[in-house]
Amino acid sequence: MGDIAVVGGGVIGLTCALRLAEAGHRVEVVADRAPGDTVSAVAGGLWFPYLAAPADAVLRWARESLDRFAELAAMPTTGVFWREGIVLHRADDPDLAWTAVVPDCRAARPDELPEGVASGVVCSVPVVDTAAYLGWLAARCARVGVAFRRAHVVRPADLPQPTVVVAAGLASGVLVGDPTLEPVRGQVVRLANPGLTRWVVDDDNPAGMAYAIPRGHDVVCGGTADRGESGTAHDPDVERAVLDRVVALVPELRGVPVVSRAVGLRPVRPSVRLDRVTVAGQALVSCYGHGGSGVTLSWGCAADVVGLAGP
C-alpha cells in the first residue's frame, strides 16, 4: 500500500495511524512533541461529546468509539475504565441526543441531584486515563510497524509521502490554510483519588462548568472553556474557583492533595473537518476540529480516515 504520513501525535493522530497500519498501509507519524505533551494528555478522558459538530456525524463517530472503548476496558494495560456517573442538567429542556448511543441511561433520582439541579442522567461510559492510554496507543502503533519521527511540519508538501493525514489539533489550521479553527482554553487540576469511581459533570453550573472524573490514581477536576484564549499558563485563581465548584459537588474531595495541574487548548471549529483533497498531486486527508471530543470521537473518525485514504 502507499506510504502515508500522519501529522500529529495526539489521540486522533495515533488512532488514525493505528487504523491505517492495521489496514495494510506503511505509516509514519510526524509530530513536534511526544504524545504525553499533546493537548490529548490534558483531557479528562471521559467519553462525552462536547464542542463538536455536526450532530449526526458526531453521534456516529461517538458510537463507534464507545464500542471500541468497551473492548479496551476489559484489557488492564490500556488505561481505559468503564465507570458509572451522572450528567447534571439545570435547564428544563436539556440536549439529550447523546443518550441515543449509550445503552444503559436512566433518569437520576431526586436524592442523586444537588440543590438547584433540575434533572440528570445516570449512565456508564468509558473513562480514559489519557497518559496511560496514549502510551498504550503509541506502543500498539509501533508493534504494527508505524514509524515515528520528531519534526515540526511547516507544509504537508514538505513531506515525501503521497498521502498526508493532517491530525495536528489546533496546528492543523495553519497546515491547510483553515482560518476557522479557534482555541478554547481548558484548565484542570488533578487530585489524589481517595477511592472514588463515580464521575460527575455539571456543565450548566452558574458559577462555571464543573466536573470530577476519577480515573486510576487521580481525579481530574475542571474546568474552564475560555473561547479564543490561547494562553497556557496555570492560573491559581482559576484553580481555586474550579476546586470550590467541584468540592460543592463532591465533598469527599475537600482537602485532598493536588497531584498535578495542566492547561490545554481545545481545537474548535464550526464542524469537525474530515475530508480529502488533492493538492499538487498529494492527497491531503484532514481530521481535526474535534473540540473537547478528541477521545470520544477518535475511533469513529479514524475509521473514516481509512476509507478516505483509499487503497
Side-chain angles (χ1 to χ4, degrees):
M1 309 287 265
D3 288 343
I4 297 179
V6 176
V7 183
V11 68
I12 296 294
L14 292 180
T15 310
C16 288
L18 178 57
R19 292 296 296 261
L20 287 163
E22 290 175 338
H25 294 276
R26 294 191 302 271
V27 182
E28 180 183 45
V29 172
V30 186
D32 60 0
R33 61 186 68 185
D37 296 326
T38 63
V39 174
S40 298
V42 179
L46 178 70
W47 179 100
F48 190 77
Y50 180 66
L51 292 180
D56 55 347
V58 163
L59 287 181
R60 177 173 62 83
W61 295 324
R63 182 194 296 270
E64 181 158 352
S65 299
L66 185 74
D67 292 342
R68 180 59 175 152
F69 281 126
E71 298 171 1
L72 295 177
M75 302 167 60
T77 60
T78 62
V80 180
F81 308 91
W82 197 263
R83 294 272 170 86
E84 183 183 84
I86 184 169
V87 180
L88 303 176
H89 298 295
R90 295 176 183 266
D92 293 331
D93 56 345
D95 179 4
L96 298 177
W98 61 274
T99 63
V101 300
V102 179
D104 64 345
C105 292
R106 67 170 174 84
R109 300 184 307 269
D111 64 290
E112 294 176 295
L113 299 174
E115 184 177 353
V117 176
S119 64
V121 174
V122 175
C123 61
S124 295
V125 297
V127 171
V128 178
D129 182 334
T130 49
Y133 180 63
L134 288 168
W136 176 84
L137 263 183
R140 182 65 181 268
C141 283
R143 284 199 298 272
V144 296
V146 174
F148 290 84
R149 177 159 59 95
R150 185 73 64 84
H152 176 68
V153 178
V154 177
R155 301 182 307 159
D158 295 334
L159 297 169
Q161 287 89 346
T163 300
V164 175
V165 177
V166 178
L170 199 60
S172 300
V174 174
L175 289 172
V176 297
D178 181 356
T180 67
L181 264 177
E182 68 169 332
V184 175
R185 183 182 184 275
Q187 179 170 323
V188 300
V189 54
R190 305 180 187 107
L191 305 182
N193 191 346
L196 303 178
T197 59
R198 204 169 195 248
W199 51 266
V200 58
V201 172
D202 186 12
D203 279 348
D204 301 329
N205 192 311
M209 67 186 300
Y211 55 82
I213 305 170
R215 304 190 298 185
H217 68 286
D218 65 9
V219 181
V220 181
C221 300
T224 64
D226 306 317
R227 190 173 291 271
E229 293 291 333
S230 58
T232 57
H234 167 260
D235 187 325
D237 292 332
V238 169
E239 179 177 301
R240 280 190 289 271
V242 165
L243 288 177
D244 285 345
R245 297 194 297 270
V246 167
V247 168
L249 293 173
V250 188
E252 297 93 329
L253 293 175
R254 186 179 304 278
V256 172
V258 172
V259 174
S260 60
R261 302 173 169 91
V263 177
L265 303 177
R266 305 176 182 94
V268 176
R269 73 189 302 272
S271 64
V272 174
R273 184 173 181 186
L274 213 170
D275 61 19
R276 172 179 172 143
V277 299
T278 300
V279 179
Q282 186 182 58
L284 296 182
V285 178
S286 293
C287 185
Y288 64 85
H290 298 84
S293 305
V295 169
T296 302
L297 307 182
S298 55
W299 288 98
C301 287
D304 281 10
V305 165
V306 173
L308 289 170

